[in-house]
Amino acid sequence: MATSTASDLWEVPAANGASSRPLVPDDRSLASFKARVEATIELGKNKSKANRVKKNEERIAKQQDVAKMLKRGQRYLGLRARSSSAELH
């Protein structure tokens, strides 16, 4: 079983018998990676906020529909008097 050291993990394998060269992470790639990760996190936050707003709007619409159906049922049973046509629409 071959063991590898930490320095071995940062080496690029040699091609066609050439000597291997160490892979040094440069600051630009690390900064770029951090920026992409932060952008992805922000995107996820914005997406969850949009989902919350959408669910809230759907909940309000459902509550309004239930209220309309309740009033219609009450009018049908004679428990609520008919009112102006503006309330029906």
Side-chain angles (χ1 to χ4, degrees), residues 3-16:
T3 59
S4 62
T5 62
S7 63
D8 293 340
L9 298 175
W10 288 102
E11 289 184 6
V12 177
N16 297 334

Side-chain angles (χ1 to χ4, degrees), residues 48-63:
S48 64
K49 286 179 187 178
N51 285 340
R52 255 186 272 132
V53 169
K54 183 180 176 184
K55 285 182 181 181
N56 192 30
E57 289 174 353
E58 290 174 353
R59 182 184 53 80
I60 291 171
K62 192 180 290 187
Q63 286 176 342

Side-chain angles (χ1 to χ4, degrees), residues 29-48:
S29 66
L30 182 60
S32 173
F33 175 74
K34 284 182 180 180
R36 282 186 274 154
V37 168
E38 289 174 7
T40 304
I41 291 170
E42 280 298 316
L43 189 63
K45 286 180 183 177
N46 292 339
K47 188 175 182 180
S48 64

